[in-house]
Amino acid sequence: MDPSGSPDAGCEDPVPSGDPDAGEKNDLLAPGRLLRRSSLALRGTPPTDEEFAALEAAGDDAAQRAFVERFVDQTLAQPAFYRTMFERARDWFNVPLVARTADAPEYGVQQQRSLQRCPAGTAKAGAWKYFREASTVCDGVTADGTPVEERSLEPWWAPDTTVTLVGGAANTAAMGTTNVNGSPVQVTCALVGPEGTCGCGPNAVRCHADFQQYAGWEDYLHYNEQGQRRFVAEEPARLFAHLAWHDRPVTDLILGTYSVAPTRLQAAYVMQGLAGGATGLLDDDSWWRPSRFAGAPVDPDHAPGDPLAWREYQVPARNPFLLAERDYHYDPRTDVGASRGVPAAGMLTSLGFLAGYPRERVRGARALETLACEVLSPPMGLKFNEYRRDPGTEGPCQHCHTRLDPAAIHFKRFAKQGSASEGYGAKYLMPGVGTAWHWPVQWRKGEYPYGGDPFSHWNRWYMPDTKLTPVTEAQALANPEAVFLDFLPPEQTLLGQVGDGTVGPLGFAKIIVAAGAFDRCVVRHLHAQVMGRDIDPAREAGYLDAQVERFVAGGRKVRPFVKSLTQSNLFQRGR
């Protein structure tokens, strides 16, 4: 940065001649145009007629420019700025909606069973039953004519109210019955959840209320702003807007243990924790009882304590397999016992990012492109060695996989199995973690019932002695879960950096921050939002370095950096 501290360092102006007759033009934007540019950059809309009138009434040129500066300060403190940052991040991250798994609306991230009300005119009108349970339940009898079980409780989706569950949903027994290939099988309800005749659990947390005619549509439809599928995809962008609004360092986007979510989205994280065996979550009401989260920071459009607010929460408190520990190391080649999980890493361990991209290489590629501004493009006119088994070291694909696989290795421990039925049925596996996500050695051979995804994918692509799976054949035979090694070994580098052994997406996040790639990428996107154009990292390297230096020196906070851009000569000259 130049001695003056100007945010325009690296872009030099011609030196004025000093001749009073030289006719040099003052190219500063007129106050009216500067107001328009500021409004478009900070809130995405032009100024109102009233704002233009107030500008005109401010007085001379200096007074009008002071008016624009006050306008910038006021707008940065308004909810419109939060919404602008959210929209910017949503376009930037472009996280896809979780794909359907069968006929719409078969969708399963929530991992809760669907409940619907008994219709008017039935003996149990207004009570809640499993969607697919026999209709006779609403008449008070089971399919064999015995009275149905009934239970009243305070549900998680409607605190301080009481609802009635009937039939299997109301079952509180430790054991239940489900069907496997058409035959009844006894199951332990605490382990399988609301499977078969097992109930919804305390406060019905293992189930969700569906108020629509057909179960699933309420959460599935992308245009339902309160649907969980929409929430899941928006969480990363909401987290970015939250950091900007509350003046948090942007590195928390990928290094933090916290995120933001309404109650309905937090339920999905709790269900993932329950699926992994953390049954203590059944008795935790901190995620659904408003009095327990009334003090959490929220978005500017909702009040604290509102279940619909995008409020801050600690991810490990909802899913304990996303760890609070920042330096967790686990090497499946040498460590005895199961992995405790992967450290929480902001948007990189969000369900939207992990479930929206179904494979580790897709996650790695999108993380590099989105958060490190890497360009993964095919080469032209080059000859490569023959491809045999490892795209990271063989064939033409190695041009990208040499960079891609050291990123993808961090995203192995999350995969989807099965299909969903009205929001229940699909499972999201964290292989090798905890007590639930382990399988007999037959999975590695593809034997029944391990012939489908994700096992078939793991068997095809997690091959020993490859860049993605740097374990020996002997190590994989001794412990098949060794193929889930998910940290960058010291013999590999990513963006010129050696990893510190931290497993999972957090290990990747640490690397791109240490490389400076994350800071440069964030600065480029914020610059594009405010200035209307990206920074060319090749032709404007000095300018980019100066902007990044100022961004980092300011604590990596969005609001003060955005304001400094609006104060720059380049902004005020329309460049």
Side-chain angles (χ1 to χ4, degrees):
M1 186 177 295
D2 67 5
S4 69
S6 169
D8 300 322
C11 292
E12 298 182 0
D13 289 332
V15 178
S17 67
D19 185 345
D21 298 322
E24 284 129 354
K25 182 179 179 181
N26 178 2
D27 62 353
L28 288 177
L29 294 176
R33 292 188 62 194
L34 185 59
L35 177 64
R36 177 181 173 83
R37 189 176 199 200
S38 300
S39 181
L40 290 172
L42 301 182
R43 63 188 189 189
T45 59
T48 64
D49 291 343
E50 291 76 13
E51 288 166 338
F52 275 125
L55 175 70
E56 290 295 325
D60 59 14
D61 183 83
Q64 290 187 4
R65 293 189 184 279
F67 176 92
V68 174
E69 187 170 346
R70 290 193 300 273
F71 170 85
V72 168
D73 289 335
Q74 293 166 0
T75 304
L76 287 171
Q78 293 171 348
F81 175 66
Y82 169 91
R83 290 191 286 271
T84 297
M85 292 296 99
F86 164 64
E87 294 290 349
R88 179 73 199 183
R90 186 164 60 174
D91 292 343
W92 169 13
F93 302 156
N94 196 27
V95 175
L97 292 164
V98 176
R100 65 190 186 196
T101 53
D103 297 333
E106 308 289 318
Y107 161 66
V109 171
Q110 58 195 152
Q111 300 187 76
Q112 291 172 301
R113 195 163 175 181
S114 179
L115 296 176
Q116 286 196 312
R117 278 190 174 127
C118 290
T122 61
K124 303 297 182 182
W128 295 87
K129 75 174 189 71
Y130 286 147
F131 172 68
R132 291 194 181 278
E133 197 165 15
S135 59
T136 59
V137 168
C138 290
D139 295 322
V141 294
T142 64
D144 60 8
T146 58
V148 298
E149 190 168 351
E150 186 171 328
R151 180 185 178 200
S152 295
L153 48 72
E154 178 188 17
W156 70 268
W157 65 84
D160 299 322
T161 67
T162 300
V163 299
T164 299
L165 305 182
V166 292
N171 184 15
T172 59
M175 302 297 293
T177 303
T178 188
N179 286 317
V180 176
N181 297 326
S183 301
V185 175
Q186 271 206 325
V187 291
T188 302
C189 293
L191 298 179
V192 301
E195 180 73 29
T197 62
C198 291
C200 294
N203 302 104
V205 297
R206 287 188 182 268
C207 299
H208 72 96
D210 199 309
F211 294 87
Q212 302 300 307
Q213 180 176 1
Y214 184 78
W217 284 104
E218 183 175 345
D219 277 317
Y220 177 83
L221 293 174
H222 66 277
Y223 52 79
N224 178 12
E225 293 184 356
Q226 305 303 324
Q228 196 196 72
R229 188 176 185 232
R230 174 86 168 258
F231 284 161
V232 168
E234 288 187 355
E235 182 180 358
R238 291 286 183 179
L239 177 56
F240 179 84
H242 183 84
L243 299 177
W245 182 251
H246 290 283
D247 290 327
R248 307 287 182 81
V250 180
T251 44
D252 285 359
L253 180 71
I254 57 173
L255 295 178
T257 61
Y258 64 92
S259 186
V260 293
T263 295
R264 186 178 289 186
L265 177 53
Q266 291 192 34
Y269 288 87
V270 174
M271 295 311 114
Q272 180 68 5
L274 288 170
T279 55
L281 293 170
L282 285 170
D283 300 314
D284 179 16
D285 64 357
S286 64
W287 59 276
W288 60 266
R289 191 176 296 283
S291 61
R292 297 290 304 277
F293 56 77
V298 299
D299 67 273
D301 295 320
H302 294 87
D306 186 342
L308 298 177
W310 286 89
R311 64 181 184 271
E312 190 174 310
Y313 72 101
Q314 286 293 325
V315 177
R318 303 291 173 259
N319 177 6
F321 302 106
L322 296 175
L323 309 175
E325 187 176 339
R326 300 292 80 195
D327 299 295
Y328 180 60
H329 293 186
Y330 176 80
D331 190 336
R333 300 169 297 185
T334 57
D335 290 337
V336 178
S339 167
R340 290 195 288 109
V342 297
M347 68 168 282
L348 293 176
T349 48
S350 68
L351 288 173
F353 185 85
L354 294 174
Y357 299 114
R359 304 291 189 219
E360 68 291 320
R361 281 184 167 118
V362 180
R363 295 171 195 144
R366 290 298 298 134
L368 281 174
E369 292 168 337
T370 302
L371 301 169
C373 287
E374 282 286 282
V375 178
L376 300 173
S377 57
M380 297 182 64
L382 298 179
K383 187 173 183 179
F384 295 90
N385 58 332
E386 182 181 359
Y387 173 75
R388 294 182 181 274
R389 62 191 296 273
D390 183 9
T393 59
E394 302 163 349
C397 293
Q398 69 182 282
H399 176 79
C400 290
H401 280 268
T402 296
R403 291 178 292 161
L404 171 57
D405 285 9
I409 196 172
H410 298 89
F411 294 96
K412 284 183 171 181
R413 293 191 188 266
F414 189 88
K416 182 179 181 179
Q417 179 189 26
S419 59
S421 177
E422 294 84 42
Y424 181 76
K427 299 178 180 179
Y428 293 86
L429 313 178
M430 298 179 69
V433 170
T435 60
W437 294 301
H438 306 273
W439 305 275
V441 69
Q442 286 86 346
W443 78 264
R444 193 62 179 155
K445 302 174 183 178
E447 296 179 7
Y448 180 83
Y450 306 108
D453 274 347
F455 303 100
S456 60
H457 172 77
W458 295 337
N459 286 329
R460 286 195 308 271
W461 291 110
Y462 292 6
M463 292 184 290
D465 296 312
T466 59
K467 206 170 186 69
L468 183 64
T469 308
V471 303
T472 66
E473 188 73 44
Q475 289 167 333
L477 286 173
N479 174 21
E481 290 183 359
V483 298
F484 297 121
L485 186 148
D486 61 338
F487 64 91
L488 194 64
E491 63 270 17
Q492 293 189 36
T493 62
L494 175 62
L495 301 179
Q497 302 294 309
V498 177
D500 70 352
T502 301
V503 302
L506 182 61
F508 168 83
K510 288 182 175 181
I511 288 173
I512 65 172
V513 171
F518 177 74
D519 291 323
R520 289 193 296 272
C521 196
V522 172
V523 164
R524 288 175 60 184
H525 280 278
L526 292 177
H527 190 277
Q529 172 64 37
V530 178
M531 307 295 283
R533 69 172 185 86
D534 192 3
I535 302 175
D536 189 320
R539 294 191 304 161
E540 299 178 289
Y543 178 59
L544 177 57
D545 288 345
Q547 298 295 336
V548 170
E549 181 182 350
R550 190 160 48 82
F551 176 65
V552 173
R556 295 184 169 99
K557 297 177 181 179
V558 171
R559 198 188 326 248
F561 181 71
V562 165
K563 180 178 178 179
S564 71
L565 289 176
T566 67
Q567 294 176 318
S568 68
N569 286 331
L570 292 179
F571 183 85
Q572 298 191 24
R573 287 156 51 199
R575 297 185 181 179

